[in-house]
Every structure is written in structure tokens, then in C-alpha cells.
């Protein structure tokens, strides 16, 4: 079975890819993350994924859009009223709808996302938005709770020398990570 896997970064992809392959599923990777700022951070994560895909012999589809302005404009209203949860819902929807649309256009029956491996993400929200996007574009959202493999995947990524990010992605999450935390 072939599946389009939205990838937030290389470290989170390691274990997801391994798990899918073990289940006889062939993941093709899809990069679309306009939520990662600033540009130097975006470039580090993107380039690390390109290298990882090459090393693993994986097909990588790059939607290479650094989306600082559009992302900030998109989250500004919800961010003011609903805090992080609304902001993250916008963020997940933006990325997963693009993935579902790409899957539909390119003949993939299934898509999924490496966001499902991180214990730091709002897991149920990711799942719900993935399923909504799937229904909208006439494809299937492949749900799997990858979280039990998170630590092992991060360890493997570190040992392989992959770039490891220090915050979720957007400039707001960078502030939350560092303001008052050194
Ligand atoms: S904290 Fe992470 S998931 Fe939430 S909006 Fe920012 S980048 Fe997206």
C-alpha cells in the first residue's frame, strides 16, 4: 500500500517511516510547513529532511513555501481569541488540507502525518482535522498512534546526526519556549 506522509521534520519521520515500512506500507514524504519560522530554522529542518529522504531512498514531494506572513495573518484573529489551541487548529488544518489535496491530485488513497508521533502535539485535534481534510478531498486519513515510538525515534535521529529542533515551529512557540526560560 502506498501512502502520502506529511512530514513536519526528519527526527519525527524516522520512527513513523520505520513503523509504516514494517507494516508493508510504502510512505512517500510530503513537506509543507509554512508554520516554521524564522527562515534559518525553516531551512535547517527542510534540508535535514531532504538528506534523510535521500539516505532512506524515499520519494520526497517538496511544497517549498516559507509562509511567515500568510501564517501570521491566518492565525492572528484566532490567536487573539482562542490562544494556542485555535492557533494550532489553524496550523494543522493548513498543512493537512494541503496534504489531502496533494494526495487526491496524485492518486494516493491514503495520507497521514508525522504530527501523530509527537507527545507535544494536540493528538486528538490532529486526528480530527486529518479526518475532516480527508472527507473534504475524497481520500482516507490513515490514523496511527505513533507516540510509543517517539523516544526511540528521537534517539535514533540524534545518533544519525540529524538536526534537532528546540521548539514546535511558529514564532509564537519559539517565544513560549524561551521567554522566561533562558
Ligand atoms: S505551536 Fe506548533 S502546532 Fe501550534 S501553531 Fe505553532 S507551529 Fe503550529
Amino acid at each position: 500500500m502506498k501512502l502520502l506522509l506529511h512530514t513536519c521534520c526528519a527526527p519525527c519521520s524516522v520512527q513513523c517511516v520505520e513503523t509504516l515500512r514494517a507494516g508493508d506500507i510504502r510512505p512517500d514524504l510530503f513537506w509543507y510547513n509554512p508554520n516554521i519560522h524564522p527562515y534559518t530554522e525553516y531551512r535547517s529542518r527542510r534540508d535535514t529532511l531532504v538528506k534523510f529522504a535521500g539516505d532512506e531512498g524515499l520519494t520526497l514531494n517538496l511544497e517549498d513555501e516559507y509562509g511567515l506572513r500568510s501564517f501570521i495573518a491566518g492565525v492572528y484573529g484566532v490567536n487573539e481569541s482562542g490562544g494556542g489551541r485555535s492557533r494550532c487548529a489553524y496550523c494543522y488544518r493548513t498543512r493537512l488540507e494541503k496534504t489531502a489535496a496533494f494526495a487526491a491530485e496524485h492518486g494516493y488513497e491514503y495520507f497521514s502525518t508525522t504530527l501523530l508521533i509527537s507527545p507535544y502535539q494536540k493528538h486528538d485535534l490532529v486526528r480530527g482535522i486529518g479526518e475532516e481534510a480527508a472527507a473534504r478531498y475524497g481520500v482516507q486519513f490513515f490514523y496511527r498512534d505513533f507516540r510509543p515510538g517517539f523516544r526511540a525515534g528521537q534517539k535514533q535521529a540524534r545518533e544519525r546526526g540529524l538536526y534537532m529542533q528546540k521548539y514546535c515551529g511558529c514564532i509564537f512557540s519559539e517565544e513560549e519556549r524561551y521567554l522566561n526560560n533562558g
Side-chain angles (χ1 to χ4, degrees):
M1 178 179 118
K2 208 171 81 161
L3 170 148
L4 187 66
L5 181 66
H6 167 262
T7 49
C8 60
C9 61
C12 285
S13 303
V14 172
Q15 197 70 19
C16 294
V17 166
E18 211 171 288
T19 304
L20 291 168
R21 279 175 162 169
D24 226 15
I25 296 168
R26 196 191 103 193
D28 288 351
L29 308 185
F30 184 70
W31 167 269
Y32 178 66
N33 297 297
N35 58 305
I36 301 171
H37 320 133
Y39 182 67
T40 48
E41 179 72 20
Y42 175 89
R43 188 177 58 193
S44 296
R45 296 192 202 185
R46 181 200 62 199
D47 292 353
T48 304
L49 184 71
V50 169
K51 182 174 183 325
F52 169 74
D55 291 348
E56 290 288 326
L58 291 159
T59 297
L60 169 60
N61 303 283
L62 272 183
E63 288 286 321
D64 197 12
E65 177 188 331
Y66 176 63
L68 177 64
R69 287 167 187 79
S70 60
F71 186 86
I72 300 287
V75 299
Y76 189 76
V78 292
N79 192 38
E80 289 299 292
S81 56
R85 191 172 173 85
S86 301
R87 183 181 77 219
C88 297
Y90 170 82
C91 178
Y92 297 150
R93 191 166 296 113
T94 301
R95 293 189 278 169
L96 295 182
E97 288 208 346
K98 181 76 108 184
T99 311
F102 188 96
E105 273 167 34
H106 293 83
Y108 292 89
E109 193 180 342
Y110 294 93
F111 75 98
S112 192
T113 174
T114 58
L115 292 167
L116 292 170
I117 199 171
S118 172
Y120 303 112
Q121 298 298 335
K122 298 166 176 65
H123 191 88
D124 294 340
L125 191 60
V126 172
R127 182 181 188 175
I129 288 173
E131 285 167 354
E132 281 170 25
R136 184 160 303 127
Y137 289 93
V139 288
Q140 304 281 326
F141 183 64
F142 180 91
Y143 171 73
R144 177 69 57 87
D145 187 355
F146 293 111
R147 287 176 296 183
F150 180 72
R151 299 283 163 216
Q154 295 288 300
K155 183 169 178 283
Q156 213 189 117
R158 222 170 280 114
E159 287 166 0
R160 289 172 69 153
L162 299 179
Y163 171 71
M164 311 289 289
Q165 62 266 25
K166 307 285 187 297
Y167 57 94
C168 187
C170 65
I171 208 70
F172 307 106
S173 64
E174 192 263 2
E175 180 190 67
E176 285 158 8
R177 166 70 180 78
Y178 291 111
L179 190 68
N180 304 323
N181 287 309

